[in-house]
Amino acid sequence: QRSLVGSGDGVRGIVLLVRAAGRGEFSEKEIEPLQGFAAQAAVAMELAERRRDAEQIAVLEDRDRIARDLHDLAIQRLFATGMTLQSAGRFIEHKEASERVSRAVDDLDETIKIIRSTIFGLRAHDAASGTGLRARVVRVVGETAPVLGFAPSVRMEGLVDSHVPKETADHLVAVLSEALTNIARHARAGRVEVALETDGREVR
């Protein structure tokens, strides 16, 4: 005798009740506990799955919150401090002091890179947050707009989400973020255009 654990599309297994060959069939009284056990097992397994889903959602939400906090608080403050030091360095006549300020600015840049790498790592685990390359490029451009003072134009052609490998996409987003930061800091640009193209073989 067998009883399904679950029902319909939610069948999770089968419970079997067997006896030696030649013996009579199971009675309803003997089968009833088997059916009850199968129902209880199905409920327990469903609860366990829901608990795992809830825990996974909590982890993903926590990662996303940490990533937002790192960007909104840490990176923006470090970036502003770096620009302040860079501006102040122009008025420092003492060569050694000027070099120290310049090194401090470089250290801040490296720290920002590390934090951004951490953010990308956190967001890469969040499969439900729209982490395709197209969405990530738009997000980086949008995050840089307040620093630039205007919104860069974005043009993307080809199947960038499906044709660009994840590792390549990670590097591309990091390079784009760094390039936009350098433009904001050094170029004094009034217009920026971001173009991303792929034909399935190359990314430009």
Side-chain angles (χ1 to χ4, degrees):
Q1 179 66 36
R2 71 176 186 177
S3 183
L4 299 178
V5 179
S7 61
D9 295 333
V11 174
R12 295 172 172 81
I14 299 175
V15 177
L16 296 177
L17 187 62
V18 298
R19 63 174 26 155
R23 298 187 60 182
E25 295 183 356
F26 291 102
S27 65
E28 288 295 329
K29 186 176 181 180
E30 291 173 317
I31 294 174
E32 186 176 348
L34 173 66
Q35 295 173 333
F37 174 78
Q40 292 175 1
V43 171
M45 294 174 71
E46 183 174 354
L47 289 175
E49 289 177 2
R50 291 182 181 274
R51 187 179 298 111
R52 285 195 300 269
D53 290 343
E55 291 173 352
Q56 182 66 14
I57 290 173
V59 169
L60 295 177
E61 289 178 345
D62 199 40
R63 284 175 177 158
D64 190 55
R65 177 188 58 78
I66 293 172
R68 287 197 308 269
D69 289 346
L70 283 173
H71 180 271
D72 295 341
L73 300 177
I75 287 185
Q76 294 294 352
R77 290 185 180 182
L78 288 172
F79 185 80
T81 301
M83 293 195 71
T84 300
L85 287 174
Q86 191 174 41
S87 298
R90 300 171 185 169
F91 302 100
I92 299 176
E93 297 180 358
H94 193 283
K95 182 179 179 180
E96 184 177 349
S98 178
E99 290 176 350
R100 288 187 178 183
V101 170
S102 179
R103 286 196 297 270
V105 172
D106 291 340
D107 289 342
L108 287 174
D109 287 341
E110 289 301 317
T111 302
I112 290 174
K113 290 179 183 178
I114 293 172
I115 294 176
R116 279 182 173 148
S117 296
T118 302
I119 292 173
F120 293 143
L122 289 169
R123 287 177 172 169
H125 288 85
D126 190 353
S129 64
T131 53
L133 178 56
R134 187 179 299 272
R136 293 172 67 186
V137 167
V138 171
R139 186 183 304 119
V140 169
V141 171
E143 290 171 347
T144 314
V147 180
L148 288 168
F150 58 89
S153 63
V154 181
R155 176 173 57 85
M156 287 181 273
E157 296 181 7
L159 302 176
V160 296
D161 285 336
S162 57
H163 283 174
V164 180
K166 180 181 180 303
E167 183 176 357
T168 302
D170 289 343
H171 289 305
L172 190 151
V173 172
V175 170
L176 173 62
S177 180
E178 186 65 22
L180 291 174
T181 298
N182 289 335
I183 290 172
R185 176 168 292 173
H186 303 296
R188 299 182 181 178
R191 180 176 178 273
V192 174
E193 179 179 355
V194 177
L196 176 61
E197 302 175 4
T198 181
D199 57 5
R201 297 185 300 272
E202 296 181 346
V203 181
R204 298 180 294 276

